[in-house]
Amino acid sequence: MTIRPFHLAFPVDDLAAARHFYREVLGCGEGRSSDHWIDFDLFGHQIVAHLDPDAGTRRAHHNPVDGHDVPVPHFGVVLTMDDFHALADRLKAAGTRFVIEPHIRFAGQVGEQATMFFHDPAGNALEFKAFADDAMLFAS
């Protein structure tokens, strides 16, 4: 099977803030847009910020994972380790407030991974992760 880009549409309460965050902070390319949505290229995947004035008012939920409270729902991309560290440095330089700071989860165990969590301006939780060994992505 050939891996194809995924598509994800998500709500934001301010398109200008979303445009700044996804373009300038995360470094996403921008595709088509209208007064109600913006397409972004998130590491080769199509994500679409859709205007929803109530997006920032949703209640957050968290689940415990390896000693941290992981925000649910969340989305993101599995990066190479080099891209993960470059993105973490970029986010830190931009003053991003992390929900879970970049760190190694499941250290020394099956599925060991670098991970970080943060929110976009509308409160959507994002997780980016990387594996030293990509075979660990679906290891059990």
Side-chain angles (χ1 to χ4, degrees):
M1 172 178 14
T2 302
I3 305 241
R4 302 283 302 149
F6 70 78
H7 164 83
L8 174 72
F10 59 97
V12 299
D13 57 356
D14 182 333
L15 284 177
R19 177 174 274 126
H20 172 77
F21 180 79
Y22 285 93
R23 268 192 357 196
E24 307 306 322
V25 177
L26 286 184
C28 296
E30 184 176 329
R32 298 171 300 138
S33 66
S34 81
D35 293 342
H36 301 287
W37 53 267
I38 306 169
D39 283 348
F40 294 104
D41 175 350
L42 180 69
F43 294 94
H45 302 283
Q46 184 192 47
I47 61 171
V48 186
H50 281 272
L51 185 60
D52 174 356
D54 297 326
T57 63
R58 291 185 175 80
R59 194 171 143 248
H61 178 75
H62 295 82
N63 282 332
V65 178
D66 197 35
H68 290 92
D69 287 332
V70 170
V72 177
H74 63 262
F75 68 92
V77 177
V78 177
L79 303 173
T80 65
M81 201 59 83
D82 287 344
D83 287 342
F84 176 88
H85 290 297
L87 179 60
D89 290 345
R90 180 184 187 121
L91 291 166
K92 288 175 186 176
T96 301
R97 185 172 160 258
F98 290 94
V99 175
I100 300 174
E101 294 277 339
H103 74 286
I104 300 297
R105 180 191 307 174
F106 307 129
Q109 302 175 47
V110 172
E112 179 177 300
Q113 59 196 261
T115 186
M116 60 180 146
F117 286 83
F118 52 92
H119 289 109
D120 75 3
N124 295 299
L126 288 90
E127 176 188 19
F128 287 84
K129 59 172 69 179
F131 295 83
D133 177 2
D134 283 346
M136 291 291 106
L137 182 61
F138 296 109
S140 57

